Amino acid sequence: LFMAVKTFAAIDVGSYELAMKIFELSAKNGIKEIDHIRHRIDLGTDTFATGKISYANMDELCRVLREFTQIMKQYRVSDYKAYGTSAVRETTNTTIVLDQIRQRTGIRIEVLSNSEQRFLDYKAIASKGSDFNKIIEEGTTIVDIGGGSIQLSLFDNASLVTTQNLKLGVLRLYDRL
């Protein structure tokens, strides 16, 4: 009996890094990460200071995303998801940026709201171990330090009590210092 194995790519366009993970999905083995490609690019400093991504960074971003498409072809990726976070979300011309990326690379990037991004973070933490539900039964704070912001989320009695986003990420703090 032939078991179908699908290959999936997840692309993260972050404030200071582009990352792509390639996964094999199969009924037999579940989800297995087979590659992780990262490229350091400081999109956040541009966005947080000027509200725009510079031409040089846009060119580099598109060049790396084109390389990602070649890698996806080599792995015979059948589907992908590409997400942008605060560095893309906070540009004054997000629609133009996304259109440029799509035209120049073929990649469609979905911009996550802050709450969508945090929800996926919690799901990722929960998927790493069965202890997550046990950990959040008692008072627990999850601190996510990113390039654009710090997110503090307080859990108690196995549910989210409150969450606060502070625009004091690593890149913003570095720029202020």
Side-chain angles (χ1 to χ4, degrees):
L1 186 68
F2 176 72
M3 297 297 269
V5 176
K6 287 191 158 226
T7 312
F8 179 82
I11 299 170
D12 175 26
V13 180
S15 298
Y16 53 88
E17 182 180 75
L18 281 174
M20 178 172 68
K21 288 187 177 187
I22 310 276
F23 299 93
E24 272 185 359
L25 314 170
S26 70
K28 183 182 177 191
N29 298 322
I31 301 171
K32 183 178 148 201
E33 183 180 321
I34 55 172
D35 205 348
H36 185 185
I37 300 103
R38 302 163 97 159
H39 178 82
R40 173 92 170 74
I41 181 172
D42 187 356
L43 299 177
T45 299
D46 279 354
T47 300
F48 306 142
T50 67
K52 294 184 188 289
I53 295 173
S54 71
Y55 291 114
N57 271 345
M58 193 66 180
D59 285 346
E60 184 180 353
L61 171 61
C62 289
R63 179 184 59 76
V64 175
L65 288 173
R66 280 192 302 271
E67 288 174 12
F68 282 6
T69 62
Q70 291 306 310
I71 293 166
M72 286 192 286
K73 283 178 187 161
Q74 291 168 354
Y75 278 107
R76 293 183 172 87
V77 167
S78 56
D79 198 11
Y80 77 92
K81 280 283 186 190
Y83 293 111
T85 56
S86 61
V88 179
R89 181 172 61 236
E90 294 184 31
T91 59
T92 55
N93 59 344
T94 305
T95 308
I96 294 165
V97 166
L98 296 176
D99 194 49
Q100 275 286 308
I101 292 168
R102 188 181 49 73
Q103 286 182 22
R104 292 169 66 178
T105 71
I107 292 179
R108 292 182 185 275
I109 295 175
E110 186 178 324
V111 179
L112 296 175
S113 69
N114 184 59
S115 56
E116 288 170 325
Q117 182 180 346
R118 302 314 161 182
F119 176 70
L120 290 176
D121 288 345
Y122 304 147
K123 280 180 73 169
I125 293 167
S127 75
K128 289 292 182 190
S130 57
D131 293 339
F132 181 75
N133 288 331
K134 196 164 77 181
I135 292 167
I136 65 170
E137 282 175 12
E138 298 178 28
T140 303
T141 301
I142 295 176
V143 181
D144 179 2
I145 302 171
S149 66
I150 296 172
Q151 184 83 21
L152 300 162
S153 300
L154 178 63
F155 290 84
D156 199 14
N157 296 323
S159 58
L160 179 64
V161 176
T162 186
T163 187
Q164 183 68 47
N165 185 267
L166 309 169
K167 290 195 175 187
L168 292 171
V170 175
L171 295 175
R172 288 189 213 261
L173 288 174
Y174 183 79
D175 194 45
R176 288 188 180 167
L177 302 173

PDB file of all heavy atoms in Angstrom, residues 111-128:
ATOM      1  N   VAL A 111      -0.439  38.844   6.083  1.00  0.00           N
ATOM      2  CA  VAL A 111       0.027  39.614   7.240  1.00  0.00           C
ATOM      3  C   VAL A 111      -0.829  39.247   8.439  1.00  0.00           C
ATOM      4  O   VAL A 111      -2.053  39.335   8.401  1.00  0.00           O
ATOM      5  CB  VAL A 111      -0.042  41.132   6.964  1.00  0.00           C
ATOM      6  CG1 VAL A 111       0.415  41.916   8.189  1.00  0.00           C
ATOM      7  CG2 VAL A 111       0.821  41.488   5.760  1.00  0.00           C
ATOM      8  N   LEU A 112      -0.160  38.809   9.499  1.00  0.00           N
ATOM      9  CA  LEU A 112      -0.860  38.435  10.718  1.00  0.00           C
ATOM     10  C   LEU A 112      -1.073  39.655  11.603  1.00  0.00           C
ATOM     11  O   LEU A 112      -0.170  40.476  11.756  1.00  0.00           O
ATOM     12  CB  LEU A 112      -0.031  37.417  11.513  1.00  0.00           C
ATOM     13  CG  LEU A 112       0.217  36.065  10.874  1.00  0.00           C
ATOM     14  CD1 LEU A 112       1.161  35.250  11.743  1.00  0.00           C
ATOM     15  CD2 LEU A 112      -1.080  35.320  10.657  1.00  0.00           C
ATOM     16  N   SER A 113      -2.248  39.748  12.177  1.00  0.00           N
ATOM     17  CA  SER A 113      -2.468  40.772  13.209  1.00  0.00           C
ATOM     18  C   SER A 113      -1.663  40.335  14.434  1.00  0.00           C
ATOM     19  O   SER A 113      -1.238  39.177  14.527  1.00  0.00           O
ATOM     20  CB  SER A 113      -3.953  40.874  13.564  1.00  0.00           C
ATOM     21  OG  SER A 113      -4.359  39.699  14.258  1.00  0.00           O
ATOM     22  N   ASN A 114      -1.469  41.232  15.375  1.00  0.00           N
ATOM     23  CA  ASN A 114      -0.724  40.871  16.579  1.00  0.00           C
ATOM     24  C   ASN A 114      -1.401  39.702  17.299  1.00  0.00           C
ATOM     25  O   ASN A 114      -0.740  38.760  17.720  1.00  0.00           O
ATOM     26  CB  ASN A 114      -0.586  42.068  17.520  1.00  0.00           C
ATOM     27  CG  ASN A 114       0.264  41.723  18.711  1.00  0.00           C
ATOM     28  OD1 ASN A 114       1.417  41.342  18.580  1.00  0.00           O
ATOM     29  ND2 ASN A 114      -0.311  41.825  19.887  1.00  0.00           N
ATOM     30  N   SER A 115      -2.734  39.725  17.410  1.00  0.00           N
ATOM     31  CA  SER A 115      -3.437  38.657  18.132  1.00  0.00           C
ATOM     32  C   SER A 115      -3.337  37.315  17.392  1.00  0.00           C
ATOM     33  O   SER A 115      -3.186  36.271  18.025  1.00  0.00           O
ATOM     34  CB  SER A 115      -4.889  39.028  18.420  1.00  0.00           C
ATOM     35  OG  SER A 115      -5.558  39.360  17.244  1.00  0.00           O
ATOM     36  N   GLU A 116      -3.398  37.332  16.055  1.00  0.00           N
ATOM     37  CA  GLU A 116      -3.227  36.085  15.291  1.00  0.00           C
ATOM     38  C   GLU A 116      -1.823  35.526  15.493  1.00  0.00           C
ATOM     39  O   GLU A 116      -1.647  34.318  15.657  1.00  0.00           O
ATOM     40  CB  GLU A 116      -3.449  36.339  13.794  1.00  0.00           C
ATOM     41  CG  GLU A 116      -4.883  36.600  13.416  1.00  0.00           C
ATOM     42  CD  GLU A 116      -5.037  37.094  11.980  1.00  0.00           C
ATOM     43  OE1 GLU A 116      -4.163  37.838  11.483  1.00  0.00           O
ATOM     44  OE2 GLU A 116      -6.042  36.715  11.354  1.00  0.00           O
ATOM     45  N   GLN A 117      -0.839  36.419  15.490  1.00  0.00           N
ATOM     46  CA  GLN A 117       0.549  36.000  15.682  1.00  0.00           C
ATOM     47  C   GLN A 117       0.713  35.345  17.061  1.00  0.00           C
ATOM     48  O   GLN A 117       1.333  34.286  17.178  1.00  0.00           O
ATOM     49  CB  GLN A 117       1.467  37.211  15.548  1.00  0.00           C
ATOM     50  CG  GLN A 117       2.934  36.899  15.684  1.00  0.00           C
ATOM     51  CD  GLN A 117       3.792  38.165  15.539  1.00  0.00           C
ATOM     52  OE1 GLN A 117       3.313  39.204  15.094  1.00  0.00           O
ATOM     53  NE2 GLN A 117       5.040  38.048  15.921  1.00  0.00           N
ATOM     54  N   ARG A 118       0.152  35.939  18.091  1.00  0.00           N
ATOM     55  CA  ARG A 118       0.282  35.398  19.452  1.00  0.00           C
ATOM     56  C   ARG A 118      -0.453  34.070  19.574  1.00  0.00           C
ATOM     57  O   ARG A 118       0.029  33.142  20.227  1.00  0.00           O
ATOM     58  CB  ARG A 118      -0.247  36.387  20.492  1.00  0.00           C
ATOM     59  CG  ARG A 118       0.441  37.727  20.463  1.00  0.00           C
ATOM     60  CD  ARG A 118       1.950  37.647  20.390  1.00  0.00           C
ATOM     61  NE  ARG A 118       2.491  38.910  19.925  1.00  0.00           N
ATOM     62  CZ  ARG A 118       3.770  39.152  19.714  1.00  0.00           C
ATOM     63  NH1 ARG A 118       4.661  38.206  19.889  1.00  0.00           N
ATOM     64  NH2 ARG A 118       4.168  40.314  19.291  1.00  0.00           N
ATOM     65  N   PHE A 119      -1.623  33.957  18.946  1.00  0.00           N
ATOM     66  CA  PHE A 119      -2.373  32.704  18.985  1.00  0.00           C
ATOM     67  C   PHE A 119      -1.530  31.567  18.391  1.00  0.00           C
ATOM     68  O   PHE A 119      -1.447  30.482  18.964  1.00  0.00           O
ATOM     69  CB  PHE A 119      -3.704  32.855  18.230  1.00  0.00           C
ATOM     70  CG  PHE A 119      -4.497  31.584  18.152  1.00  0.00           C
ATOM     71  CD1 PHE A 119      -5.098  31.063  19.293  1.00  0.00           C
ATOM     72  CD2 PHE A 119      -4.645  30.909  16.948  1.00  0.00           C
ATOM     73  CE1 PHE A 119      -5.828  29.878  19.224  1.00  0.00           C
ATOM     74  CE2 PHE A 119      -5.368  29.737  16.881  1.00  0.00           C
ATOM     75  CZ  PHE A 119      -5.967  29.221  18.019  1.00  0.00           C
ATOM     76  N   LEU A 120      -0.882  31.840  17.247  1.00  0.00           N
ATOM     77  CA  LEU A 120      -0.023  30.821  16.639  1.00  0.00           C
ATOM     78  C   LEU A 120       1.174  30.504  17.539  1.00  0.00           C
ATOM     79  O   LEU A 120       1.598  29.349  17.619  1.00  0.00           O
ATOM     80  CB  LEU A 120       0.451  31.262  15.247  1.00  0.00           C
ATOM     81  CG  LEU A 120      -0.623  31.296  14.164  1.00  0.00           C
ATOM     82  CD1 LEU A 120      -0.051  31.842  12.863  1.00  0.00           C
ATOM     83  CD2 LEU A 120      -1.229  29.913  13.944  1.00  0.00           C
ATOM     84  N   ASP A 121       1.707  31.518  18.226  1.00  0.00           N
ATOM     85  CA  ASP A 121       2.802  31.284  19.180  1.00  0.00           C
ATOM     86  C   ASP A 121       2.350  30.322  20.278  1.00  0.00           C
ATOM     87  O   ASP A 121       3.067  29.377  20.612  1.00  0.00           O
ATOM     88  CB  ASP A 121       3.268  32.591  19.834  1.00  0.00           C
ATOM     89  CG  ASP A 121       4.041  33.493  18.886  1.00  0.00           C
ATOM     90  OD1 ASP A 121       4.477  33.020  17.814  1.00  0.00           O
ATOM     91  OD2 ASP A 121       4.215  34.679  19.224  1.00  0.00           O
ATOM     92  N   TYR A 122       1.172  30.546  20.846  1.00  0.00           N
ATOM     93  CA  TYR A 122       0.667  29.681  21.919  1.00  0.00           C
ATOM     94  C   TYR A 122       0.457  28.257  21.406  1.00  0.00           C
ATOM     95  O   TYR A 122       0.771  27.292  22.092  1.00  0.00           O
ATOM     96  CB  TYR A 122      -0.648  30.199  22.513  1.00  0.00           C
ATOM     97  CG  TYR A 122      -0.593  31.613  23.037  1.00  0.00           C
ATOM     98  CD1 TYR A 122      -1.704  32.441  22.972  1.00  0.00           C
ATOM     99  CD2 TYR A 122       0.569  32.155  23.583  1.00  0.00           C
ATOM    100  CE1 TYR A 122      -1.670  33.746  23.439  1.00  0.00           C
ATOM    101  CE2 TYR A 122       0.618  33.458  24.045  1.00  0.00           C
ATOM    102  CZ  TYR A 122      -0.505  34.247  23.966  1.00  0.00           C
ATOM    103  OH  TYR A 122      -0.472  35.536  24.419  1.00  0.00           O
ATOM    104  N   LYS A 123      -0.094  28.154  20.180  1.00  0.00           N
ATOM    105  CA  LYS A 123      -0.304  26.824  19.602  1.00  0.00           C
ATOM    106  C   LYS A 123       1.032  26.103  19.417  1.00  0.00           C
ATOM    107  O   LYS A 123       1.139  24.896  19.657  1.00  0.00           O
ATOM    108  CB  LYS A 123      -1.026  26.929  18.251  1.00  0.00           C
ATOM    109  CG  LYS A 123      -2.516  27.133  18.383  1.00  0.00           C
ATOM    110  CD  LYS A 123      -3.204  27.244  17.046  1.00  0.00           C
ATOM    111  CE  LYS A 123      -3.284  25.924  16.339  1.00  0.00           C
ATOM    112  NZ  LYS A 123      -4.164  25.945  15.166  1.00  0.00           N
ATOM    113  N   ALA A 124       2.054  26.848  18.982  1.00  0.00           N
ATOM    114  CA  ALA A 124       3.378  26.254  18.781  1.00  0.00           C
ATOM    115  C   ALA A 124       3.957  25.774  20.111  1.00  0.00           C
ATOM    116  O   ALA A 124       4.502  24.667  20.193  1.00  0.00           O
ATOM    117  CB  ALA A 124       4.323  27.256  18.115  1.00  0.00           C
ATOM    118  N   ILE A 125       3.809  26.590  21.155  1.00  0.00           N
ATOM    119  CA  ILE A 125       4.301  26.196  22.479  1.00  0.00           C
ATOM    120  C   ILE A 125       3.557  24.952  22.956  1.00  0.00           C
ATOM    121  O   ILE A 125       4.166  23.991  23.426  1.00  0.00           O
ATOM    122  CB  ILE A 125       4.149  27.354  23.500  1.00  0.00           C
ATOM    123  CG1 ILE A 125       5.076  28.520  23.127  1.00  0.00           C
ATOM    124  CG2 ILE A 125       4.452  26.867  24.918  1.00  0.00           C
ATOM    125  CD1 ILE A 125       4.770  29.813  23.870  1.00  0.00           C
ATOM    126  N   ALA A 126       2.238  24.957  22.794  1.00  0.00           N
ATOM    127  CA  ALA A 126       1.418  23.824  23.236  1.00  0.00           C
ATOM    128  C   ALA A 126       1.758  22.547  22.471  1.00  0.00           C
ATOM    129  O   ALA A 126       1.729  21.455  23.039  1.00  0.00           O
ATOM    130  CB  ALA A 126      -0.063  24.159  23.086  1.00  0.00           C
ATOM    131  N   SER A 127       2.109  22.683  21.193  1.00  0.00           N
ATOM    132  CA  SER A 127       2.405  21.492  20.376  1.00  0.00           C
ATOM    133  C   SER A 127       3.745  20.854  20.736  1.00  0.00           C
ATOM    134  O   SER A 127       3.994  19.702  20.407  1.00  0.00           O
ATOM    135  CB  SER A 127       2.394  21.848  18.884  1.00  0.00           C
ATOM    136  OG  SER A 127       3.576  22.557  18.546  1.00  0.00           O
ATOM    137  N   LYS A 128       4.604  21.595  21.421  1.00  0.00           N
ATOM    138  CA  LYS A 128       5.937  21.087  21.766  1.00  0.00           C
ATOM    139  C   LYS A 128       5.913  20.111  22.936  1.00  0.00           C
ATOM    140  O   LYS A 128       6.874  19.415  23.183  1.00  0.00           O
ATOM    141  CB  LYS A 128       6.903  22.243  22.084  1.00  0.00           C
ATOM    142  CG  LYS A 128       7.294  23.048  20.877  1.00  0.00           C
ATOM    143  CD  LYS A 128       8.141  22.233  19.931  1.00  0.00           C
ATOM    144  CE  LYS A 128       8.589  23.041  18.742  1.00  0.00           C
ATOM    145  NZ  LYS A 128       9.199  22.228  17.715  1.00  0.00           N
TER     146      LYS A 128
END
